[in-house]
Amino acid sequence: MGYYVKLQSGVKIYVEDINQEGKKTILFLHGWPGDHNLFEYQFNVLPKEGYRCIGIDQRGFGESDKPFSGYDYDTLSDDVFGVVEALKLKNFMLAGHSTGGAIAIRYMARHNGDGVSKLALFAAAAPSLIKRSYFPYGITREAVEDIIKGTYSDRPKMLRQFGDTFFFQHISEPFSDWFFSLGLRAASWATAAVANTWLDEEKLFSDMKKITIPTLILHGIHDQVCLFQLAEAQNKGIKNSKLVPFQYSGHGLFYDEKDKFNEELMKFIENKSL
């Protein structure tokens, strides 16, 4: 079922809550520039196996409210905390993809991992999406600046170009159109503001050191958005973490190798992979 959670800021966050009677709960945080629908191929399977799957649309994306501000990781993690409080979630697995993975890491540090028993990161944009003087991995600052410029000048073209780099396995033209449509559902100002956050955010390096719970890191070796070296840095920086490479995946590993992806998540939540 779908419903809204109103935060203290007055912003309403859309929540897709599937199989509320499930034995264990997974809270999914989507990546840029999509929404909870990115996890369609998890929501088709995991509830059948008895899991409660919750997907939220971050502010500015999908069906959530689209205020003009609040797209830094602190505020976005506060939004997640508001949903966790409203739903009274305890002992759940927090699972984040790409920017959602970065938000999950900030949540663990800023909110002391409230309610979280396990963390899953897939193609996470951490500890830094872009190259820095002390971190030679990631994409260039200029590439992100081009995304921001493209958002303001021709957002559909920018989204098409981004979609072309997202998956490693072949996708059909209808699937590509569907993926493109998710990006169009976001507010243009939110799309650009989150990209700006990638440029300025550097605290994830220290955030990772504060995580002590079991953490599963899933990452495609062909990822062109968040390079595989980011996963290796996460594995090194997070205690009690395990890295599982996906040999036939790009950034969209939850679809590129969806069967393996779902199996790894279920093994992890059932204490069989760490």
Side-chain angles (χ1 to χ4, degrees):
M1 63 180 293
Y3 50 83
Y4 286 91
V5 171
K6 188 173 183 180
L7 306 177
Q8 290 183 343
S9 61
V11 173
K12 297 191 299 298
I13 297 296
Y14 180 77
V15 176
E16 191 70 39
D17 194 346
I18 307 166
N19 190 25
Q20 294 183 9
E21 303 304 317
K23 56 185 178 181
K24 295 180 180 178
T25 298
I26 309 173
L27 176 60
F28 289 86
L29 305 181
H30 65 82
W32 178 98
D35 56 39
H36 76 274
N37 287 291
L38 285 175
F39 301 114
E40 175 176 331
Y41 296 90
Q42 285 63 62
F43 296 163
N44 286 343
V45 174
L46 299 178
K48 291 180 182 179
E49 300 296 328
Y51 300 104
R52 180 185 183 185
C53 293
I54 302 173
I56 70 173
D57 288 351
Q58 295 158 24
R59 67 167 64 201
F61 297 83
E63 297 184 46
S64 286
D65 282 354
K66 298 173 174 61
F68 196 69
S69 61
Y71 298 100
D72 57 283
Y73 288 159
D74 283 355
T75 303
L76 293 169
S77 71
D78 290 349
D79 288 351
V80 174
F81 181 67
V83 172
V84 170
E85 277 196 315
L87 301 188
K88 298 180 172 58
L89 299 180
K90 301 292 182 183
N91 194 33
F92 67 95
M93 184 166 83
L94 183 61
H97 172 255
S98 194
T99 296
I103 296 167
I105 291 172
R106 177 56 47 81
Y107 178 90
M108 296 302 299
R110 183 173 172 85
H111 295 284
N112 299 311
D114 186 79
V116 181
S117 58
K118 291 187 176 181
L119 177 65
L121 304 172
F122 17 99
S128 175
L129 179 68
I130 67 169
K131 295 179 181 179
R132 301 185 187 278
S133 59
Y134 51 88
F135 188 73
Y137 312 112
I139 60 178
T140 65
R141 173 176 288 269
E142 289 74 22
V144 174
E145 290 172 344
D146 286 343
I147 286 174
I148 296 169
K149 292 175 183 176
T151 300
Y152 288 130
S153 62
D154 189 340
R155 187 164 65 108
K157 179 181 178 181
M158 181 278 294
L159 290 172
R160 281 291 188 193
Q161 291 173 337
F162 180 73
D164 289 342
T165 69
F166 203 90
F167 300 99
F168 176 68
Q169 305 275 29
H170 172 74
I171 57 172
S172 67
E173 185 174 345
F175 187 94
S176 177
D177 290 342
W178 169 79
F179 180 78
F180 173 65
S181 73
L182 298 185
L184 289 177
R185 283 158 49 91
S188 57
W189 54 89
T191 302
V194 170
N196 265 306
T197 295
W198 300 335
L199 296 175
D200 300 330
E201 182 56 64
E202 298 185 54
K203 291 195 299 181
L204 294 173
F205 289 91
S206 58
D207 286 349
M208 292 194 309
K209 296 178 181 179
K210 300 176 183 178
I211 299 172
T212 58
I213 63 172
T215 301
L216 178 67
I217 301 167
L218 308 178
H219 212 108
I221 66 171
H222 303 284
D223 197 329
Q224 298 180 54
V225 180
C226 296
L227 304 186
F228 188 73
Q229 288 92 335
L230 271 65
E232 294 175 324
Q234 294 159 29
N235 190 209
K236 183 178 180 180
I238 299 175
K239 298 176 183 177
N240 200 20
S241 65
K242 177 183 178 180
L243 170 59
V244 179
F246 276 54
Q247 300 295 327
Y248 306 103
S249 288
H251 196 52
L253 69 167
F254 50 82
Y255 183 75
D256 277 331
E257 294 182 79
K258 54 183 177 292
D259 291 341
K260 177 181 178 179
F261 183 92
N262 292 338
E263 289 169 5
E264 290 291 345
L265 279 187
M266 288 188 287
K267 283 196 302 183
F268 179 56
I269 201 170
E270 297 297 338
N271 298 307
K272 296 179 180 177
S273 64
L274 270 182

